[in-house]
Amino acid sequence: MAEPLTCSAKGCAAEATSGLQWNNPKIHTPDRRKVWMACPEHTESLQQFLDARGFWRETVPAAQAEAR
């Protein structure tokens, strides 16, 4: 059985329910996706952080993010 996915927010140990797909266009190719996992409490704030920098691409369910 797989370990539960943990939220990427600093200091958070909650189980992740979403995967935030992102890349830094200055250093990554357009098709490259990195993933931050997020619990319900931190999904919006992490997405806003990435979006403010132009890094956020999409948010998907955690199981879908893990499969990529």
Side-chain angles (χ1 to χ4, degrees):
M1 185 171 177
E3 292 289 320
L5 300 171
T6 305
C7 182
S8 299
K10 186 175 182 177
C12 184
E15 185 172 350
T17 57
S18 299
L20 285 73
Q21 308 272 329
W22 65 277
N23 79 352
N24 180 340
K26 291 182 180 178
I27 60 174
H28 300 127
T29 59
D31 60 327
R32 171 115 188 250
R33 292 293 181 266
K34 299 192 60 97
V35 179
W36 280 358
M37 303 309 295
C39 68
E41 182 179 344
H42 292 111
T43 300
E44 186 176 341
S45 62
L46 289 173
Q47 183 174 312
Q48 288 174 349
F49 178 89
L50 292 168
D51 197 34
R53 289 152 181 80
F55 296 172
W56 178 79
R57 300 296 172 248
E58 69 177 319
T59 299
V60 298
Q64 188 178 346
E66 185 181 33
R68 291 183 182 187

